[in-house]
Amino acid sequence: MNFLTHKNTRIAYSDTGKGTAVVLLHGFLENSTMWENFVPELSKKNRVICIDLLGHGQTEPMGYVQTMEDNADAVHAILSELRVRKAVLAGHSMGGYVALAFAELYPEAVKGIALINSTSIADSDERKTNRDRAIKAVKQNYTNFVRLSIANLFSEDNRERLANAIENVKLEALKTPLQGIVASLEGMKIRKDREVLLHFATYPILLVLGKKDPVLNYEENLEQIENTDVQLVTFSDGHMSPIENRQQLLKNLEVFLKKI
């Protein structure tokens, strides 16, 4: 891993391969190890940059609320350090929220966006309440909260089949400091609605959804791409396409990158 200090915060990232810059952004409770099965393939033809988002992996937390914009600024700082002028951003879940915040703040730096089990829609009141509940729960019983949260991201059909992979995700998630978890929940809760970007973007956008996603309602998330040029890929599983549908997702990303 490489490190960059940005706003007194140590940000961790890796940089592999040559070609079109592709930034892989993990989700909440994950870190860049999430992409270890993607980097070898994608870096054959692209420059793949993986970043640990604020308060995750080897990146330090930044304050008590980490907004999606704070994360986007950290991504931009790394791209500036690496002299990357334009990149494709592929974000899983919270990573997708960060990719959209980046696209709003730095439109000239975006070549394309892949939203993987993610959405441009802001949190509903109900989801905001759930975030507050989650903050309470993680403060009361950290380990329990993390383990349950991870298990609940997979479709029920896959929980036995992928038991080992799920255990690994839990072990990585348990490295996330309490402050990183709380600050990210606070940041996701207040994030802006960015559906407008899907309608007016000048670059290609890919949306990957799982039909049995327990976190993002499939039908609701289809609505955001009506009358847009967004390409849709649908899997029949849960919220964790990078694990539940790894091979198909990798293929779809390669096809998407070829067109850019």
Side-chain angles (χ1 to χ4, degrees):
M1 285 302 254
N2 305 303
F3 297 95
L4 170 78
T5 300
H6 160 73
K7 295 186 180 172
N8 297 324
T9 305
R10 190 183 74 160
I11 316 282
Y13 67 94
S14 63
D15 179 13
T16 316
K18 288 189 171 75
T20 299
V22 181
V23 180
L24 299 180
L25 301 171
H26 63 79
F28 175 60
L29 294 179
E30 300 162 8
N31 58 52
S32 53
T33 60
M34 182 78 188
W35 303 111
E36 59 195 8
N37 292 307
F38 288 76
V39 175
E41 284 305 310
L42 293 178
S43 62
K44 285 177 182 172
K45 292 182 177 165
N46 305 282
R47 181 180 185 179
V48 181
I49 299 158
C50 296
I51 300 172
D52 280 345
L53 294 171
L54 298 175
H56 286 72
Q58 295 181 59
T59 292
E60 296 170 338
M62 187 193 276
Y64 293 99
V65 179
Q66 288 161 181
T67 64
M68 300 306 104
E69 292 83 355
D70 291 334
N71 276 291
D73 286 339
V75 171
H76 188 254
I78 284 166
L79 294 184
S80 300
E81 172 78 6
L82 297 176
R83 301 209 165 110
V84 172
R85 293 202 7 246
K86 266 182 178 283
V88 178
L89 286 90
H92 178 242
S93 197
M94 183 179 80
Y97 308 156
V98 174
L100 290 169
F102 183 95
E104 188 175 278
L105 292 167
Y106 307 104
E108 70 295 334
V110 181
K111 255 191 179 171
I113 288 181
L115 299 173
I116 304 162
N117 313 109
S118 194
T119 181
S120 65
I121 306 163
D123 271 4
S124 62
D125 288 341
E126 185 191 350
R127 285 200 74 181
K128 285 178 180 169
T129 303
N130 288 341
R131 302 257 191 227
D132 287 332
R133 280 200 194 113
I135 290 167
K136 228 182 220 163
V138 72
K139 285 178 177 173
Q140 277 166 354
N141 191 332
Y142 169 90
T143 308
N144 210 26
F145 170 82
V146 171
R147 288 189 153 276
L148 275 175
S149 297
I150 297 298
N152 290 339
L153 298 175
F154 291 82
S155 74
E156 280 183 39
D157 321 346
N158 284 331
R159 288 178 198 170
E160 239 173 80
R161 178 174 75 86
L162 295 170
N164 289 346
I166 294 171
E167 190 54 34
N168 285 340
V169 178
K170 285 178 186 174
L171 291 174
E172 286 299 328
L174 287 165
K175 296 176 186 174
T176 318
L178 177 64
Q179 188 189 338
I181 293 176
V182 172
S184 298
L185 285 164
E186 293 283 11
M188 288 190 285
K189 185 175 78 178
I190 58 170
R191 75 180 191 283
K192 286 169 62 177
D193 191 297
R194 293 193 163 92
E195 197 175 330
V196 66
L197 289 176
L198 305 188
H199 290 264
F200 297 106
T202 52
Y203 40 79
I205 299 177
L206 175 71
L207 176 64
V208 177
L209 295 176
K211 277 208 166 151
K212 294 179 190 153
D213 190 325
V215 183
L216 296 175
N217 179 284
Y218 178 72
E219 303 301 332
E220 269 174 37
N221 279 285
L222 283 184
E223 289 170 21
Q224 67 186 316
I225 60 167
E226 275 174 23
N227 307 315
T228 71
D229 295 327
V230 173
Q231 300 168 46
L232 174 69
V233 168
T234 297
F235 296 129
S236 58
D237 297 288
H239 190 69
M240 298 297 275
S241 295
I243 294 173
E244 293 176 276
N245 312 99
R246 190 174 85 210
Q247 285 309 114
Q248 303 102 300
L249 177 60
L250 182 56
K251 279 203 183 92
N252 279 289
L253 286 174
E254 286 173 333
V255 169
F256 179 64
L257 290 168
K258 252 184 208 153
K259 291 179 187 163
I260 291 173

